Structure formats: structure tokens, C-alpha cells
């Protein structure tokens, strides 16, 4: 289903309740010390997705697409991050993730991901996708977060 390593290790591939198909990624928020909510970046490292098929002429219109469903309180500040090769993480934030149990499809243009040294560039893509964070958010204790159909489109 997906190469690489999840962080935290409770962000897992599971069956049922998918946006499309039969499998999706799922996380169950488990806050410590009786906290009502806690921030967690749902990451996957060492993904190894080849981006060589994206033509340079399509970079301006290319986007990262994914579906998210969650329950509990909405995550009013959510982070989305991508890293290609050994380049720094490129961020897109803030975005509110509505948590009412229904899947929503998100599309973020690749050119909007940035870091302190500037926006994501086409040349970084050649190194291949190393890591994604989809999403990082403030999750109510006990909330489930489901992520499905992660893809790049152009």
C-alpha cells in the first residue's frame, strides 16, 4: 500500500472506511496527562515516490491531492508538509480541517509549499518524495483521523 515509515507508529494502514478503494491511513489521538487536545504531525518518511514524470511545464499547475475525514473538534491550524530528497521540509499552513466524520478532498498547489529559503522549486522534485505530513493538527483526545487517496496531479 505505502512504502516507508509512519510517525507516530500509531498512524497505520487499515481497511474499511476508505474514501475510495478498501484501505486508508488512520490515527487515533491519545493525549497524555489528561489533556483535552494535543498537536500531532501525522508523517510518513522514506516514501521514495519518483516524481520524474512531472514535466517542468506542468509544475505551476501541479497539486497535491488527498482526502481527510476526522471526528472530534476541528483542527483550526493544520500543517501540510512535503520533503523531496534531502531538501528541507516545505510547508503549507494554516488550513482548517473540519472534523465531522465526513471525508473532504483537498488540493494544494505544489508552488504554495515553502520554507525559510523560499518556495518549493521544480528542481527539488527530481530527488523524489521522501516525506509527507498530512496533516499535522490539534486533535481532540480520542479523535480518529483518516487520510486516503494521496496523490500528485498535473
Amino acid at each position: 500500500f505505502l512504502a516507508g515509515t509512519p510517525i507516530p507508529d500509531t498512524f497505520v494502514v487499515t481497511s474499511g472506511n476508505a474514501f475510495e478503494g478498501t484501505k486508508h491511513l488512520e490515527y487515533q489521538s491519545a493525549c497524555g496527562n489528561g489533556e483535552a487536545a494535543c498537536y500531532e504531525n501525522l508523517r510518513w518518511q522514506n516514501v521514495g515516490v519518483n516524481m520524474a514524470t512531472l514535466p517542468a511545464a506542468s509544475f505551476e499547475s501541479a497539486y497535491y491531492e488527498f482526502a481527510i475525514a476526522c471526528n472530534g473538534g476541528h483542527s483550526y491550524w493544520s500543517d501540510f508538509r512535503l520533503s523531496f530528497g534531502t531538501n528541507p521540509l516545505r510547508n503549507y499552513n494554516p488550513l482548517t480541517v473540519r472534523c465531522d466524520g465526513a471525508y473532504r478532498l483537498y488540493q494544494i498547489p505544489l508552488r504554495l509549499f515553502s520554507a525559510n529559503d523560499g518556495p518549493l522549486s521544480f528542481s527539488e522534485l527530481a530527488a523524489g518524495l521522501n516525506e509527507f505530513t498530512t496533516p499535522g493538527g490539534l486533535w481532540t483526545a480520542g479523535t480518529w483521523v483518516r487520510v486516503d487517496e494521496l496523490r500528485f496531479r498535473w
Side-chain angles (χ1 to χ4, degrees):
F1 179 77
L2 185 64
T5 307
I7 300 172
D9 61 6
T10 55
F11 188 34
V12 297
V13 175
T14 188
S15 297
N17 301 308
F19 179 71
E20 292 181 359
T22 59
K23 294 184 179 183
H24 65 282
L25 303 176
E26 186 166 310
Y27 168 74
Q28 184 83 32
S29 177
C31 302
N33 301 323
E35 294 176 80
C38 48
Y39 199 92
E40 185 69 61
N41 283 313
L42 305 180
R43 302 166 49 196
W44 212 280
Q45 289 185 322
N46 304 316
V47 181
V49 173
N50 184 336
M51 299 295 292
T53 58
L54 174 66
S58 298
F59 179 71
E60 282 298 309
S61 60
Y63 56 91
Y64 179 44
E65 180 179 84
F66 48 88
I68 297 175
C70 50
N71 67 352
H74 307 315
S75 177
Y76 289 100
W77 179 288
S78 296
D79 291 299
F80 299 85
R81 304 184 309 185
L82 299 172
S83 175
F84 297 89
T86 58
N87 293 298
L89 281 169
R90 301 294 177 180
N91 304 294
Y92 178 82
N93 56 31
L95 181 70
T96 297
V97 174
R98 185 175 177 184
C99 294
D100 62 1
Y103 271 104
R104 286 182 174 68
L105 190 65
Y106 294 85
Q107 298 173 330
I108 303 172
L110 292 179
R111 60 185 160 68
L112 297 182
F113 283 86
S114 64
N116 290 340
D117 65 345
L120 175 65
S121 67
F122 176 76
S123 62
E124 287 178 57
L125 299 180
L129 179 68
N130 180 51
E131 177 180 332
F132 65 82
T133 300
T134 304
L138 184 62
W139 310 113
T140 306
T143 293
W144 51 258
V145 181
R146 296 178 179 140
V147 182
D148 199 6
E149 299 304 315
L150 297 100
R151 60 186 137 214
F152 295 97
R153 292 192 181 262
W154 56 88

